Amino acid sequence: MQRNIQYIKGVGPVKANLIANQLEISTVGELLLYAPFRYVDRSIMNRLSEVDDLSNYYQFTGKIQAVKEFSFGKKKGFQAVFTDGTGMLPLIWYQRTDWLIEKIKIGTPITIFGKLTIQKNQLQLVHPEVIFSTEKVPNTLVGVYSTTERLTKSGLNSAGISKVIKSILNDSSIQYTETLPLYLREKYKLMDNKNALISLHFPQNDRLLNQAIRTLKFEELFYLQLELLLTKQINFHKNKGFIFEKKTDFLTTFYNNYLPFDLTNAQKRVVKEINRDLRTGSQMNRLIQGDVGSGKTLVALLSMLLGFDSGFQTALMAPTEILAQQHFISIQELLKDLPIRIALLTGSLKNAEKLRLIETINAGEVDIVIGTHALIEDRVKFKHLGLVVIDEQHRFGVAQRSKFWKKNSSLPPHILVMTATPIPRTLAMTVYGDLDVSIIDELPPGRKPITTKHFFERNRLQILGFLRSEIEKGRQIYIVYPLIEESSTLDYANLMQGFEYLCNVFPKPEFQISIVHGKLKPDVKDFEMNRFIKGETNIMVATTVIEVGVNVPNASVMVIESAERFGLSQLHQLRGRVGRGGEQSYCLLVTKDKLSSESKKRMSTMVSTNDGFKIAEVDMELRGHGDIMGTQQSGIMNFKIANLMTDGKVLEVARAEVKAILEEDALLNRPDHFVVKNEINRRMKGKSNWAQIS
Ligand code: ADP
Ligand code: MG
């Protein structure tokens, strides 16, 4: 299986190189997992009159009506006109071979198969697969492989790839090894490895094809989960963490006296999960996933109080100054009667001030530090940092997260990351393999679902009338413009035009309008943002800089201009800026008239649901899961056969079996687990020595 494909009959070094370049496949084993993306049923005969899709493969049966040789340049070709009684089709060969001329004559009954093309407004079939009446039509499913133009030019079109795979499967010197224990294969009716691969590429019927696919998916997901769980176990054993022991109990004081509302059940559950983690002696690496407005900040605060009560410093890092400031203000307010020292560390502090603050942090004279990236600067050292909370995780990379690990000379702090990017559970299990995942799947009570409506630009007057009436009720409004690229001057022009237009419609002094975008200086931006937060302005015109985290409960309308230019998850994030108070909130999506079917689907999804997880699923369907923010680097997402969108069930079954195996036989020493041990050793070679778990 590790053999280079150049040694396969009919491949050779040139084609092997091409395949390596174009498909990133170099070994026999890899090519065998290059699955057809669909199958053509060769038992079906089509009619020429029903051809309507050039991406399809067609099969016709009929006879030859005319033949001729032709030349192009110095070479000679051969053409035959085929008919099945419903139409005529030229068949073209660009090499003139004697056997063709010998066998294809006027009146010859023939079956042809292939993909049609158009030349000079006429359909034709170049290099068809030909079956003469004396031969048998392969009465099976034929795999169709995706290929590239360069591969096709070298004879590696779908049929060419199929041929190479066939010669691999016919090569008796290739050894197939079982990777799944026999008892699992029996339990789930899975095929052995060789038969699964044969049926994947050359299925005899639907049933065998499905069984083969099920087998290979199971295998792929089984090893994915095994690798993740083993890695997690290694980390668990490697990274000791602080054990939080209660010395004071300000958490209870706060909970009983200063918490302005009850926790939701989801919040309670997550706090409990965190509390448990902090007492195991291992370092916590936990992700909290909760839709916008689900109250993650409070969970962060309670966790930080756990740290404080155990005598540790804690930190909260936010992706923007505005957000850090908001966290600082609201946490300071909530804790104002408790003897807890809180500080805000951001890049915009004056240098002298910043130095002084860093000194106090390093001396351990501050208990809770809230800040931006400034927190991970090397000179910020802390005295005894017990817990770090990272808000809106998707804005930070893994590298930034790991900088906190070195803040203590003794043990790394516990890490809690929070994200509102909803990722379906199956995906979260794999994307955040190194993190434990907690999900806040409940919104605080009393929230009225946001009403979302889709408008066309020509209905603008209607929208303006609505905005006016909302402002008269005392509400505030966001109007967001797309700014996909920072440098896009056209987008800025639109933003400024929109701003000026609004200033005319809602004139001073009766109305106040703020504007915030990336080209403003940070202090100007903060100033405008704060005017809006304090309720001094009615409308906030902005680019997506306001996308994350900002909390203005009195803002009840979100207008998104050119909404067709935003992705679903971004639209959902933006909508999450409203609906935070007790008032009915609205999200208005404004688009041009003509929309692509994908844009239509995004708009209708937004209008029909507020559920972030549902939206994430549609988003994955539309974009493919590789695109979900931050997952590209993970490398885990390159599945060969499985599809996380649709294979959640298989994933869960595989995961359960892996867990059961590890619980009973952590070192895979049982004879029936030898196949698993061999395979995982091969897969994890050079990654980490999982045997150290013992
Ligand atoms: P997010 O999860 O998007 O970060 P926040 O933490 O900003 O959400 O919380 C959104 C709003 O909900 C805040 O105004 C917060 O005070 C409020 N909130 C949080 N938890 C509760 C609760 N259990 N009951 C009522 N309101 C809550
Ligand atoms: Mg938040």
Side-chain angles (χ1 to χ4, degrees), residues 109-298:
I110 194 174
T111 298
I112 53 173
F113 175 77
K115 225 173 176 175
L116 275 59
T117 50
I118 288 186
Q119 175 91 45
K120 292 191 186 127
N121 278 328
Q122 217 200 348
L123 284 171
Q124 59 174 28
L125 183 47
V126 178
H127 294 181
E129 188 184 323
V130 178
I131 300 138
F132 295 100
S133 56
T134 48
E135 299 166 335
K136 214 173 112 233
V137 175
N139 189 11
T140 49
L141 299 167
V142 173
V144 182
Y145 300 84
S146 66
T147 175
T148 67
E149 221 176 294
R150 287 199 51 204
L151 285 172
T152 304
K153 278 200 182 123
S154 310
L156 290 167
N157 55 6
S158 175
I161 294 173
S162 174
K163 222 163 132 188
V164 175
I165 290 174
K166 179 144 230 160
S167 65
I168 294 176
L169 290 169
N170 286 339
D171 185 335
S172 57
S173 70
I174 287 168
Q175 280 178 13
Y176 297 79
T177 34
E178 288 317 314
T179 57
L180 294 171
L182 187 61
Y183 70 89
L184 284 183
R185 274 198 279 138
E186 282 171 351
K187 180 169 175 188
Y188 295 109
K189 302 204 165 46
L190 304 176
M191 291 169 142
D192 64 62
N193 187 252
K194 176 156 192 187
N195 277 311
L197 289 168
I198 290 174
S199 284
L200 176 71
H201 296 287
F202 302 100
Q204 291 294 318
N205 55 44
D206 274 344
R207 189 182 57 78
L208 290 173
L209 174 61
N210 289 333
Q211 197 184 3
I213 290 176
R214 203 158 45 79
T215 301
L216 295 166
K217 278 179 178 172
F218 187 94
E219 182 198 36
E220 186 168 30
L221 295 171
F222 179 91
Y223 280 99
L224 169 79
Q225 292 301 318
L226 184 59
E227 208 171 309
L228 285 174
L229 289 174
L230 284 175
T231 310
K232 212 178 210 169
Q233 280 193 21
I234 294 167
N235 290 342
F236 184 83
H237 286 259
K238 240 198 313 225
N239 305 314
K240 289 215 165 66
F242 295 117
I243 297 179
F244 278 19
E245 279 169 287
K246 224 192 281 181
K247 298 192 174 109
T248 54
D249 199 358
F250 286 101
L251 176 66
T252 308
T253 313
F254 171 74
Y255 194 83
N256 292 340
N257 303 298
Y258 300 104
L259 192 59
F261 33 64
D262 289 332
L263 292 183
T264 62
N265 286 328
Q267 283 171 319
K268 279 185 199 159
R269 189 187 64 235
V270 173
V271 172
K272 266 188 206 147
E273 283 167 355
I274 293 166
N275 190 29
R276 204 183 324 122
D277 282 359
L278 297 174
R279 284 155 217 287
T280 57
S282 299
Q283 185 210 15
M284 171 175 78
N285 278 289
R286 185 169 283 279
L287 173 83
I288 301 182
Q289 201 191 321
D291 211 345
V292 279
S294 60
K296 294 185 291 293
T297 317
L298 195 60

Side-chain angles (χ1 to χ4, degrees), residues 29 194 319 384 535 601 631:
K194 176 156 192 187
H384 38 229
K601 174 100 186 170
T631 59

Side-chain angles (χ1 to χ4, degrees), residues 508-526:
K508 285 181 190 174
E510 196 187 342
F511 301 97
Q512 298 290 329
I513 307 183
S514 290
I515 180 165
V516 166
H517 57 76
K519 281 196 175 159
L520 294 175
K521 292 227 173 69
D523 49 336
V524 179
K525 207 155 69 180
D526 283 3

Side-chain angles (χ1 to χ4, degrees), residues 322-339:
I322 293 170
L323 207 52
Q325 221 172 50
Q326 260 203 346
H327 282 320
F328 176 68
I329 292 167
S330 65
I331 289 177
Q332 209 178 26
E333 174 63 24
L334 284 166
L335 302 183
K336 66 174 187 288
D337 292 324
L338 301 176

Side-chain angles (χ1 to χ4, degrees), residues 487-522:
S487 57
S488 167
T489 39
L490 194 65
D491 282 347
Y492 271 108
N494 280 340
L495 172 74
M496 295 319 292
Q497 222 173 11
F499 177 62
E500 276 161 28
Y501 179 72
L502 284 162
C503 287
N504 284 330
V505 180
F506 297 105
K508 285 181 190 174
E510 196 187 342
F511 301 97
Q512 298 290 329
I513 307 183
S514 290
I515 180 165
V516 166
H517 57 76
K519 281 196 175 159
L520 294 175
K521 292 227 173 69

Side-chain angles (χ1 to χ4, degrees), residues 302-447:
L302 295 173
S303 311
M304 292 196 286
L305 288 176
L306 283 168
F308 177 77
D309 278 335
S310 307
F312 287 101
Q313 287 175 297
T314 57
L316 169 60
M317 179 163 78
T320 64
E321 295 246 0
I322 293 170
L323 207 52
Q325 221 172 50
Q326 260 203 346
H327 282 320
F328 176 68
I329 292 167
S330 65
I331 289 177
Q332 209 178 26
E333 174 63 24
L334 284 166
L335 302 183
K336 66 174 187 288
D337 292 324
L338 301 176
I340 300 177
R341 298 162 295 183
I342 310 169
L344 176 67
L345 178 67
T346 64
S348 69
L349 283 181
K350 297 231 166 56
N351 241 335
E353 234 178 308
K354 197 168 173 187
L355 275 178
R356 215 172 318 124
L357 177 55
I358 291 175
E359 268 169 34
T360 53
I361 293 171
N362 294 352
E365 288 158 13
V366 179
D367 305 307
I368 292 181
V369 190
I370 295 161
T372 54
H373 293 88
L375 284 172
I376 47 180
E377 285 176 25
D378 286 337
R379 56 186 172 158
V380 184
K381 293 196 162 65
F382 293 89
K383 179 131 187 262
H384 38 229
L385 181 63
L387 168 75
V388 175
V389 182
I390 302 174
D391 195 13
E392 306 297 347
Q393 138 85 14
H394 63 278
R395 294 286 167 122
F396 298 104
V398 178
Q400 284 165 314
R401 201 198 315 156
S402 67
K403 283 216 161 186
F404 281 111
W405 288 44
K406 295 171 198 110
K407 293 284 178 199
N408 294 323
S409 52
S410 54
L411 294 173
H414 295 294
I415 309 262
L416 190 61
V417 297
M418 308 198 292
T419 179
T421 309
I423 296 180
R425 203 176 230 295
T426 50
L427 195 57
M429 282 201 299
T430 52
V431 179
Y432 297 113
D434 62 327
L435 299 172
D436 292 305
V437 181
S438 290
I439 298 187
I440 306 184
D441 49 6
E442 186 187 356
L443 292 180
R447 293 271 169 84

